Structures are given as C-alpha cells and as structure tokens.
Amino acid sequence: MVRAPHRRQRRLVRTARPRPAGRAARARLPGARTARRGGPEHRHRIAANYVAEITDRTANATSDTTGERAPHALLGWSMGANIALEMATQLDRAGHPVAPLVLIEPYLPNPAARARLNGVTDDLRTAWRQRDLIRQLPPSPERDRATAELTATLLGAGMSPAEAALVENAPIEVWHSLLAALAGYEVRPYPGHIHLVVGSEAAGLPRGRTMPGLDVDYDTYLARWRDLAGGGLTVHISEGDHMSMMAEPRVSGIAGILVAIKEGENR
C-alpha cells in the first residue's frame, strides 16, 4: 500500500493512567498530541510534556522484586514511535530506566520523505486559508464552491475521504503543526535497547524496493535503526501493513509480540 508518511501520523497520544504502587507508567503513543505550534522542536516539547507527567505520577514507584526504581514501558506507533523514542531518551538522561521500548514502524527521516512532507505542509496552509474562509461565508453557492475546493485540496494533500469530509470542522492547524514538526525531525541515537516492529508486507518486499511511505528499502531501514540503538535492536515482524497490523483482526499479532517481549523482560 503506497501511502505518504503523513497519512500515518495523525493519531492521538494517550498517556498512562495512574498505576498501583510498584509499577511504572506505560505510555502508548499511536501519534502526536494536538498542538498548534510546529517546527523542529515540537516533537521534543511533546515528549517533554509526557515525560513530566509520567515521572510525576510514578515518583515513588519501585520494582516489586528489587526495590529499585521501576522501568517505564513505552510503546509507540508511527510518529508516536518517534515521540516514544524521544521520551525514552529524555527519561534515560534523567536517570529513569526504560524497558521495554517498542517502536512500531517509526518514521525514518530521509531527503525524499522530507521533500514530500514539505509539499504537504504547503497544501495544508492553503487548506487552512480555505477553511477559515468557509467559516465566514453564509449558506450560498459561493460557500458550496469553497467547500468543494477545500475538499479537493485535502484529498490532494493525502487526507482520507473521512478527514476531507470534515471540511470547516477539520483540525487543519493541528495536522499542519505535526507535519511541519515531522519535516524537520532528526533521529538521535538512543543508548538503550529497542524492539522494532515491522509489518510483513514491508519486510517481505523484494530487495531494494522502497517501503511504502518511508522512501527507503527494508535493509537500509534496519541498518539505520541498528546504528541508532546503542543497546541493541530486536526486530519483530507482524502480519499486515502499516495500518492493517494495528487493526482487527491482525492486531492480535501485535499483542502476541508484546506478550513475548514482556516474558523476555521478566526472565
């Protein structure tokens, strides 16, 4: 499935709820929290907000077996995986252990993807102006034409039909903010271990074929992540593509991987 990177990035971030004593919080990050400011530092701010929340909620959490500070388990999907990685880096620097860190097909910056994202943010700036114009217009043929133009712009930018159908209610500034941040994103090396989950459709592509939406081939993708994971990289393959492996019925494969990872951490 050929899909531009931004089509995978718009998911809400959910932080952990309070945990019983002795258990660290777990943050599941399927995407980025809504925000209006973009730019290269946007991802760092998002991660810092969640790190502050998690460390505050688990300030007194310790391991049931060792009595030491309990590790934080982080899981992220797509852009959320990049935010989870940044969270893990910030937690590590603050002396908070992270285990496991599970990244499900995270975005990997490269020139081709960055150029595509910059083009999409330009389209969304146009859509932003169109949406604000529609909000000022009374019901009329002019408003209908403006609505049709906005719908076409959103579809051309790669939004789904359901997202484009939001027209005047579309959170375009949020989408623009996240994609602008993603366009300027650079991955930083992480000193710990990373569990990398990749869909079978991407992993099974012929050698040298670019992965949908990532603009790099599978071997290059793995090599880059091995270089970034200072504590080692474990690769897991889950049935499906970027979207279908996170939806029923294939999401059970993700659940099985997580169970296996947890059992390995407990050995």
Side-chain angles (χ1 to χ4, degrees), residues 15-51:
T15 55
R17 296 179 180 180
R19 296 276 175 173
R23 297 181 63 186
R26 301 178 183 181
R28 179 178 181 275
L29 300 171
R33 173 184 284 180
T34 55
R36 294 177 182 268
R37 292 184 297 171
E41 296 303 313
H42 181 50
R43 179 183 53 87
H44 301 288
R45 293 194 299 268
I46 293 173
N49 288 339
Y50 286 107
V51 166

Side-chain angles (χ1 to χ4, degrees), residues 85-110:
L85 176 63
E86 176 62 25
M87 289 176 62
T89 300
Q90 294 183 17
L91 286 165
D92 178 77
R93 290 179 176 177
H96 293 265
V98 175
L101 172 60
V102 183
L103 309 181
I104 304 176
E105 283 200 2
Y107 169 66
L108 187 64
N110 62 80

Side-chain angles (χ1 to χ4, degrees), residues 63-83:
S63 169
D64 295 331
T65 56
T66 67
E68 298 178 351
R69 178 175 283 170
H72 300 278
L74 300 181
L75 165 67
W77 170 44
S78 198
M79 183 180 174
N82 298 103
I83 296 174

Side-chain angles (χ1 to χ4, degrees), residues 91-230:
L91 286 165
D92 178 77
R93 290 179 176 177
H96 293 265
V98 175
L101 172 60
V102 183
L103 309 181
I104 304 176
E105 283 200 2
Y107 169 66
L108 187 64
N110 62 80
R114 185 168 287 114
R116 186 187 306 178
L117 286 170
N118 284 331
V120 172
T121 56
D122 288 343
D123 290 341
L124 288 179
R125 277 194 291 269
T126 298
W128 194 340
R129 291 191 294 269
Q130 291 173 326
R131 185 207 62 186
D132 289 349
L133 172 63
I134 290 171
R135 288 178 173 178
Q136 298 172 15
L137 294 173
S140 63
E142 181 184 5
R143 192 178 197 277
D144 293 340
R145 286 193 297 270
T147 298
E149 291 174 359
L150 172 57
T151 301
T153 300
L154 291 175
L155 290 174
M159 303 299 153
S160 70
E163 290 165 334
L166 294 172
V167 286
E168 72 269 22
N169 295 316
I172 297 171
E173 61 270 63
V174 174
W175 299 340
H176 178 273
S177 174
L178 296 177
L179 296 177
L182 197 61
Y185 170 58
E186 294 290 346
V187 183
R188 295 190 290 177
Y190 174 64
H193 187 273
I194 294 175
H195 291 274
L196 179 68
V197 181
V198 182
S200 61
E201 292 198 13
L205 289 171
R207 297 290 293 273
R209 179 83 61 83
T210 56
M211 299 169 68
L214 289 170
D215 299 293
V216 295
D217 64 90
Y218 180 63
D219 290 339
T220 300
Y221 188 72
L222 293 191
R224 288 281 305 277
W225 282 108
R226 286 195 178 98
D227 290 341
L228 291 165

